[in-house]
């Protein structure tokens, strides 16, 4: 039997990268999935790839009005949900002395504030026994140069996983985090670096990974499946690290 048969899942940031790969995995395991994203084009492409068992909704995690609209849509058109994967996020790297204020605000508003309020608004729509998954990052412990605010937002998300798990335990709702290491996703193209800078950054990171390669989104999707399914029924408040040993060795 499929691991997510008849389950309803919501994935923020689900039109590309880890979110898209996870949506594909969840659907293959029997779930119906709603994905959000900021780009109509990416959502349309995802819809073509994922087929009839996906609903796409344009929604910007950094805008509280969009989060409210997402909640209203789910409440009216779907009802209750079983899996909430709060995956939407951005990565921008600057040394502390060069970080612009607008970049600081974007990182906080999308990676931390938006995630928090999406959880807050959708919590009443979660079935008892639901699974919530938060995307954090290995840099929340690594101290990678240039990552100060990005890493701080991901450390905040790791902290939220613990508190959310404690607060939701009375409803048997499990809350866990996934900590991906370097993964081949479009997020690297949005970091604001030149091609030369990006190649140098990627080479530096890869040399720090004991498995000596970047991961792929499907590997993180499989970790998300474990946390979403009953296989992890006694797991809550934890951080599942999937980073090729980047932060562990």
């Amino acid at each position: 039997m499929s691991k997510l048969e008849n389950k309803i899942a919501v994935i923020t940031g689900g039109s590309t990268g880890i979110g898209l790969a996870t949506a594909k995995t969840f659907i293959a395991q029997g779930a119906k999935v709603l994905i959000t994203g900021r780009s109509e084009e990416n959502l349309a492409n995802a819809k073509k790839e994922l087929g009839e068992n996906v609903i796409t909704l344009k929604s910007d995690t950094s805008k509280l009005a969009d989060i409210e609209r997402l909640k209203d849509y789910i409440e009216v058109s779907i009802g209750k949900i079983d899996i909430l994967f709060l995956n939407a996020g951005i990565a921008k790297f600057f040394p502390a002395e060069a970080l612009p204020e607008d970049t600081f605000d974007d990182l906080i508003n999308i990676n931390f504030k938006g995630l928090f309020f999406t959880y807050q608004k959708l919590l009443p729509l979660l079935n008892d026994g639901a699974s919530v998954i938060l995307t954090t990052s290995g840099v929340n412990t690594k101290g990678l140069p240039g990552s100060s605010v990005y890493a701080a937002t991901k450390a905040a998300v790791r902290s939220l996983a613990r508190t959310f798990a404690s607060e939701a335990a009375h409803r048997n709702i499990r809350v866990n985090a996934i900590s991906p290491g370097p993964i081949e996703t479009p997020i690297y193209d949005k970091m604001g670096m030149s091609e030369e800078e990006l190649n140098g950054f990627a080479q530096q990171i890869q040399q720090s990974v004991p498995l000596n390669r970047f991961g792929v989104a499907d590997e993180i999707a499989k970790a998300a499946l474990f946390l979403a399914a009953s296989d992890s029924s006694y797991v809550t408040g934890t951080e599942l690290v999937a980073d090729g040993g980047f932060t562990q060795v």
Side-chain angles (χ1 to χ4, degrees):
M1 182 177 176
S2 299
K3 291 180 181 290
L4 303 179
E5 197 71 34
N6 299 319
K7 300 293 186 182
I8 305 295
V10 173
I11 302 174
T12 65
S15 61
T16 62
I18 290 169
L20 178 61
T22 303
K24 188 182 301 184
T25 298
F26 284 5
I27 289 169
Q29 290 294 327
K32 293 187 177 180
V33 178
L34 183 153
I35 63 171
T36 72
R38 296 191 291 176
S39 164
E40 293 276 16
E41 181 181 359
N42 287 341
L43 286 168
N45 290 337
K47 175 68 175 176
K48 290 178 184 176
E49 184 171 349
L50 297 173
E52 62 181 15
N53 284 323
V54 71
I55 299 168
T56 62
L57 185 68
K58 185 178 180 182
S59 181
D60 186 339
T61 298
S62 70
K63 297 178 180 177
L64 295 186
D66 279 20
I67 296 172
E68 192 72 39
R69 188 164 59 87
L70 171 62
K71 183 204 77 165
D72 291 344
Y73 180 88
I74 294 170
E75 198 167 23
V76 171
S77 301
I78 297 175
K80 295 288 189 175
I81 58 179
D82 305 292
I83 302 158
L84 176 59
F85 186 15
L86 297 174
N87 171 70
I90 60 170
K92 295 186 178 181
F93 287 72
F94 290 86
E97 66 271 17
L99 181 73
E101 183 181 5
D102 59 349
T103 300
F104 180 100
D105 290 342
D106 285 345
L107 286 163
I108 295 293
N109 288 337
I110 294 173
N111 292 358
F112 179 53
K113 180 180 177 181
L115 181 146
F116 177 89
F117 282 103
T118 303
Y119 176 81
Q120 181 194 74
K121 296 297 183 183
L122 299 190
L123 181 58
L125 304 182
L126 292 175
N127 279 316
D128 289 356
S131 173
V132 179
I133 306 164
L134 316 179
T135 299
T136 178
S137 167
V139 300
N140 78 52
T141 61
K142 191 70 172 176
L144 189 70
S147 72
S148 58
V149 178
Y150 172 67
T153 64
K154 293 303 186 177
V157 170
R158 175 64 185 100
S159 178
L160 287 179
R162 291 189 174 98
T163 309
F164 289 168
S166 177
E167 292 178 345
H170 70 284
R171 293 180 54 197
N172 200 32
I173 292 173
R174 298 178 298 104
V175 184
N176 294 287
I178 289 181
S179 180
I183 306 296
E184 294 176 1
T185 76
I187 198 169
Y188 286 99
D189 297 331
K190 303 172 185 176
M191 287 170 51
M193 297 181 180
S194 68
E195 184 175 353
E196 183 179 356
E197 290 172 329
L198 192 58
N199 288 338
F201 177 79
Q203 185 176 9
Q204 174 191 350
I205 294 297
Q206 184 168 321
Q207 290 172 349
S208 301
V209 178
L211 291 184
N212 198 34
R213 66 174 177 86
F214 275 56
V216 296
D218 183 60
E219 292 175 304
I220 307 304
K222 290 173 181 174
L225 175 62
F226 169 71
L227 293 176
S230 61
D231 292 344
S232 59
S233 58
Y234 201 51
V235 179
T236 193
T238 195
E239 179 181 34
L240 197 167
V241 178
D243 67 359
F246 179 58
T247 62
Q248 305 298 309
V249 177

